[in-house]
Amino acid sequence: MDNFSFQMSTKYVFGKDSQKKIGELVKPYADRVLLVYGGGSIKRNGLYDDVVASLAANGVSFVELSGVQANPRYETVLDGIELVRKEDLKLVLAVGGGSVIDTSKAIAMSVGADDVWECFSAGKKLSRALPVATILTIPAAGSEVSPDAVISYKGRKLGFSSQKIRPVVSVVNPDIFITLPKNQIANGVCDMMSHIFERYFTQTQHTDLIDSLAESTLKTIMRNALLLMQNPADYQAWSEVSLGGSFAHNGFLGCGRMQDWGCHAMEHELSAQDEKVAHGAGLAVLTPAWMRYVYKENPKMFYQFAVNVMDIKADRDEEKVILAGIAKLACFFQSLGQPSSLRELGFTENSPLEEMAKKCSGEGFVGNFKPLYWKDVLNIYKACL
Ligand code: NZQ
Ligand code: ZN
């Protein structure tokens, strides 16, 4: 096991009607907030009314920024920064999924960086940030507990990470998720599973405890995802999936081990190239291809995954077991209705795959399980066509 430090400072408030406590939860931080949301799902399902009532009951006033798009853009962040400065707002309240939460985090960064995009593009240090609170509406990105934000601008989709933007409070009520369409359920499940894979597949030795926690989290998510495909109103299944999604990305499952993150880097180029590509759908295509490309670097880990997670029968023929595990995972993604090729996402031989691969790896490499130079990334993109 490697040395590590782990901090998870988000207050996590879970359960029925928990959104009605939001006013009381943000009040200790601010009595004037920026309320950020997306394209209107929160108005259709009544969540907006609950939030407004709770803020009013606790004497918290707010200014709104709505219309955050999936794969959020920096232009929207700039609109939010202007509101925060003009209205002297003291907290950013995100009511939405990863896109809304990441936009809110980037807005919150404006008090600690003159040019927020420089933090994303050039790794500029962030001195401070406004507190961010969230009400999660789609379990997927894990941004409700993560120190990360991912924003698109000028053809790039880039991430930034700092403990200063980890939400101070996140509210998770599984009842809010029942209005999600099946493709969004699938996108969320594939994303949270990928957050575990990026940490699970490691070259670090002696990681037994976290390995088994990761394996049981994956199995729990998969079992309950299938229940949700049958009945998207299953409260208990949503409880398991949403808790799984938060634990997938709060950092705990990465303790003491080298992490990978190659699939995420490769996927961000897909979404940057075409903003209609959902992050989870891109990951569903790339992950099995990545696994086939890298498993020989540490077959033991992939054998363990096949047997412990995918329930493939142990066998002396290690490679047969590994490939069966990967094939079963690909089938699972397809059973959720996810695409299995880049072609299904609109890419062809004429797409600028080489340019995307070069942007992804730059002069160096992405991923750690097996370092992927741009030619490796291109091989994986081509294998996905
Ligand atoms: O905009 P509205 O109308 O709310 O509709 C949204 C949106 O169209 C809809 N939706 C959300 N909750 C709903 C709902 N529809 C019905 N009922 C509900 N309860 O779902 C659509 C997708 O929302 P979005 O926020 O884009 O989804 P997700 O949570 O998957 O976020 C994806 C973004 O997060 C980034 C991704 O790259 C992507 O940009 N990520 C952020 C991470 C982080 N900050 O830690 C880590 C991840 O790896 C990821 O990269
Ligand atoms: Zn992700």
Side-chain angles (χ1 to χ4, degrees):
M1 199 181 293
D2 297 337
N3 292 357
F4 67 91
S5 74
F6 173 63
Q7 177 186 351
M8 215 317 265
S9 43
T10 304
K11 178 169 185 172
Y12 193 81
V13 182
F14 182 93
K16 282 190 183 286
D17 285 337
S18 48
Q19 77 279 8
K20 294 184 179 165
K21 297 185 191 144
I22 194 65
E24 156 191 345
L25 290 166
V26 301
K27 181 75 177 175
Y29 298 94
D31 47 23
R32 270 178 76 62
V33 309
L34 179 68
L35 169 62
V36 183
Y37 58 95
S41 68
I42 72 160
K43 291 219 163 149
R44 290 190 292 278
N45 62 16
L47 176 56
Y48 178 86
D49 295 337
D50 284 347
V51 172
V52 170
S54 177
L55 292 176
N58 288 276
V60 179
S61 63
F62 67 91
V63 175
E64 276 186 36
L65 175 71
S66 63
V68 173
Q69 325 78 345
N71 291 323
R73 300 186 200 136
Y74 187 57
E75 288 83 348
T76 316
V77 173
L78 290 175
D79 292 343
I81 291 174
E82 200 180 320
L83 286 173
V84 162
R85 288 186 178 150
K86 193 168 117 212
E87 304 280 347
D88 193 25
L89 306 171
K90 299 294 186 211
L91 175 143
V92 188
L93 171 58
V95 184
S99 298
V100 168
I101 300 173
D102 289 2
T103 300
S104 303
K105 288 174 172 176
I107 294 168
M109 288 164 65
S110 62
V111 296
D114 292 335
D115 181 344
V116 169
W117 184 248
E118 274 184 13
C119 297
F120 288 84
S121 62
K124 203 167 167 229
K125 258 196 139 169
L126 179 70
S127 62
R128 56 184 282 259
L130 289 177
V132 174
T134 85
I135 300 177
L136 187 67
T137 66
I138 167 172
S143 189
E144 72 280 7
V145 287
S146 82
D148 313 313
V150 188
I151 298 290
S152 298
Y153 192 41
K154 294 183 176 166
R156 296 303 317 269
K157 185 174 180 188
L158 299 175
F160 174 77
S161 191
S162 164
Q163 291 296 338
K164 298 188 176 78
I165 56 171
R166 204 191 278 262
V168 291
V169 171
S170 281
V171 167
V172 178
N173 172 2
D175 274 333
I176 291 172
F177 311 138
I178 64 174
T179 53
L180 278 164
K182 282 192 177 166
N183 70 320
Q184 295 295 358
I185 302 175
N187 289 340
V189 164
C190 294
D191 191 17
M192 61 181 74
M193 288 178 68
S194 177
H195 295 158
I196 303 177
F197 293 148
E198 301 281 22
R199 296 173 165 97
Y200 177 77
F201 291 105
T202 186
Q203 301 288 6
T204 308
Q205 304 289 309
H206 303 291
T207 52
D208 295 2
L209 177 68
I210 300 286
D211 282 4
S212 53
L213 292 171
E215 287 161 2
S216 59
T217 310
L218 282 166
K219 290 189 86 160
T220 304
I221 291 170
M222 291 170 76
R223 191 169 58 247
N224 286 282
L226 293 176
L227 294 176
L228 289 174
M229 285 291 143
Q230 301 300 319
N231 175 16
D234 184 335
Y235 179 90
Q236 296 303 343
W238 270 125
S239 301
E240 302 290 351
V241 167
S242 54
L243 193 57
S246 294
F247 270 84
H249 204 39
N250 70 8
F252 186 51
L253 298 181
C255 286
R257 57 208 289 131
M258 179 209 81
Q259 303 178 26
D260 188 69
W261 297 101
C263 285
H264 267 67
M266 290 190 285
E267 195 298 307
H268 287 163
E269 294 308 325
L270 303 183
S271 306
Q273 182 65 27
D274 179 355
E275 64 180 8
K276 292 190 296 305
V277 174
H279 177 59
L283 290 167
V285 170
L286 291 168
T287 301
W290 172 82
M291 290 179 163
R292 290 189 189 101
Y293 197 79
V294 306
Y295 74 86
K296 290 188 177 139
E297 300 295 311
N298 183 357
K300 185 182 146 281
M301 198 79 232
F302 277 89
Y303 184 90
Q304 179 182 316
F305 166 71
V307 173
N308 292 357
V309 180
M310 301 312 300
D311 292 329
I312 304 295
K313 201 164 165 291
D315 192 288
R316 267 201 218 136
D317 186 344
E318 188 181 61
E319 188 154 34
K320 187 176 95 183
V321 171
I322 291 171
L323 293 176
I326 298 172
K328 200 166 170 192
L329 176 71
C331 282
F332 171 76
F333 288 156
Q334 284 168 45
S335 73
L336 300 181
Q338 288 291 25
S340 56
S341 70
L342 280 186
R343 210 171 293 279
E344 289 167 75
L345 289 173
F347 293 87
T348 68
E349 287 79 3
N350 297 328
S351 302
L353 298 180
E354 184 171 323
E355 194 186 310
M356 289 159 58
K358 285 179 176 164
K359 271 197 209 164
C360 179
S361 293
E363 299 289 302
F365 60 86
V366 292
N368 289 309
F369 187 83
K370 171 183 169 68
L372 302 174
Y373 297 87
W374 74 263
K375 283 194 176 157
D376 298 301
V377 173
L378 183 59
N379 288 339
I380 293 174
Y381 285 155
K382 283 185 175 166
C384 289
L385 272 180

